[in-house]
């Protein structure tokens, strides 16, 4: 029985590694939330940047989608912000975002007047000189975030925060921050991750069944 248990534990090790990889990949995307807002609204968006390498993230560039207008940003200690046309850059003045950490950046943008999806292309710079371009389509390894812009209800205030309906006062309050945290963040995981996880599960189950049959014989 102990021998069988040891074999099962040996088989479980790769399975645990696959699950860890899945969790890491699923949470490592650069995202912009909320995933839904309204036409013409002044929306307070959250750019979430995790560091997925050993090197620190030292800069993140965000391209404003067509039809959206950048308005304001919230200052973050240790970071400077530059605006060049439709590109907004957060540049570290210190260590940056270290491995195992993430940073949230808040900004306000006026949504397009027409309903439809808008894509947020982001470019993540690391201290080792590498660059990750979060500009792929949904289902790719480095997808961009998508926000669905829906038609505003008649008589709604276009200067309100689309996710919470609170009045926009020119700077984001802690209540607005907390409301944003509760929103599901847009992001996708490559289908290959799910396929790999499924194969690992199936292989583990088949191996366990084979061991149990061999024990009975």
């Amino acid at each position: 029985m102990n021998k069988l248990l040891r074999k099962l534990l040996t088989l479980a090790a790769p399975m645990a590694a696959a699950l860890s990889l899945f969790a890491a990949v699923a949470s490592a995307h650069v995202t912009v939330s909320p995933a839904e807002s309204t036409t013409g609204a002044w929306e307070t968006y959250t750019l979430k940047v995790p560091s997925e390498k050993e090197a620190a993230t030292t800069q993140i560039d965000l391209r404003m989608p067509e039809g959206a207008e950048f308005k304001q940003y919230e200052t973050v200690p240790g970071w400077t912000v530059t605006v060049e046309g439709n590109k907004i850059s957060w540049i570290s003045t210190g260590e940056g975002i270290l491995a195992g950490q993430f940073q949230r950046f808040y900004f306000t943008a006026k949504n397009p007047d027409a309903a439809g999806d808008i894509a947020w292309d982001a470019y993540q710079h690391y201290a080792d000189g590498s660059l990750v371009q979060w500009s792929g389509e949904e289902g790719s390894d480095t997808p961009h975030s998508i926000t669905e812009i829906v038609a505003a209800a008649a008589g709604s205030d276009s200067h309100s925060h689309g996710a919470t309906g609170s009045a926009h006062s020119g700077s984001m309050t802690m209540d607005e921050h907390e409301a944003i945290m509760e929103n599901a963040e847009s992001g996708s995981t490559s289908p290959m991750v799910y396929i790999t996880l499924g194969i690992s599960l199936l292989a583990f189950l088949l191996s366990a069944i084979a061991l149990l049959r061999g024990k009975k014989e």
Side-chain angles (χ1 to χ4, degrees), residues 107-123:
F107 66 94
T108 300
K110 182 180 181 296
N111 289 337
D113 293 326
D117 291 345
I118 58 175
W120 304 93
D121 290 339
Y123 303 86

Side-chain angles (χ1 to χ4, degrees), residues 36-42 45 65-69 110-120 146-153 158:
E36 181 180 306
S37 190
T38 54
T39 53
W42 284 46
Y45 286 99
E66 184 176 356
E69 300 176 28
K110 182 180 181 296
N111 289 337
D113 293 326
D117 291 345
I118 58 175
W120 304 93
I146 298 291
T147 297
E148 181 183 6
I149 304 300
V150 299
S158 63

Side-chain angles (χ1 to χ4, degrees), residues 119-204:
W120 304 93
D121 290 339
Y123 303 86
Q124 186 174 12
H125 301 260
Y126 285 90
D128 62 3
S130 59
L131 171 67
V132 178
Q133 302 184 46
W134 299 95
S135 56
E137 297 299 322
E138 184 177 2
S140 67
D141 291 335
T142 54
H144 48 207
S145 278
I146 298 291
T147 297
E148 181 183 6
I149 304 300
V150 299
S156 63
D157 181 7
S158 63
H159 282 68
S160 65
H161 176 62
T164 63
S166 60
H168 178 71
S169 60
S171 63
M172 188 161 63
T173 66
M174 287 305 298
D175 288 342
E176 287 178 319
H177 284 196
E178 293 301 322
I180 288 175
M181 303 310 174
E182 295 174 0
N183 283 321
E185 294 181 348
S186 174
S188 58
T189 303
S190 172
M192 289 304 298
V193 175
Y194 295 104
I195 293 172
T196 302
L197 182 63
I199 292 173
S200 299
L201 281 169
L202 181 59
F204 175 74

Side-chain angles (χ1 to χ4, degrees), residues 12-114:
M15 186 65 210
L19 287 171
S20 297
L21 175 63
F22 171 77
V25 172
S27 62
H29 293 173
V30 169
T31 57
V32 177
S33 61
E36 181 180 306
S37 190
T38 54
T39 53
W42 284 46
E43 179 66 77
T44 301
Y45 286 99
T46 303
L47 170 65
K48 182 180 178 182
V49 184
S51 254
E52 58 179 359
K53 296 186 177 183
E54 290 302 317
T57 295
T58 56
Q59 180 174 331
I60 184 77
D61 303 324
L62 183 69
R63 293 283 183 176
M64 296 299 295
E66 184 176 356
E69 300 176 28
F70 178 78
K71 295 297 183 181
Q72 299 169 325
Y73 66 91
E74 182 177 64
T75 58
V76 178
W79 295 81
T80 60
V81 179
T82 62
V83 181
E84 299 178 8
N86 71 335
K87 183 179 78 171
I88 299 89
S89 299
W90 285 264
I91 305 169
S92 173
T93 58
E95 292 183 322
I97 308 170
L98 303 180
Q101 299 179 353
F102 67 87
Q103 178 67 54
R104 287 187 175 99
F105 303 99
Y106 303 99
F107 66 94
T108 300
K110 182 180 181 296
N111 289 337
D113 293 326

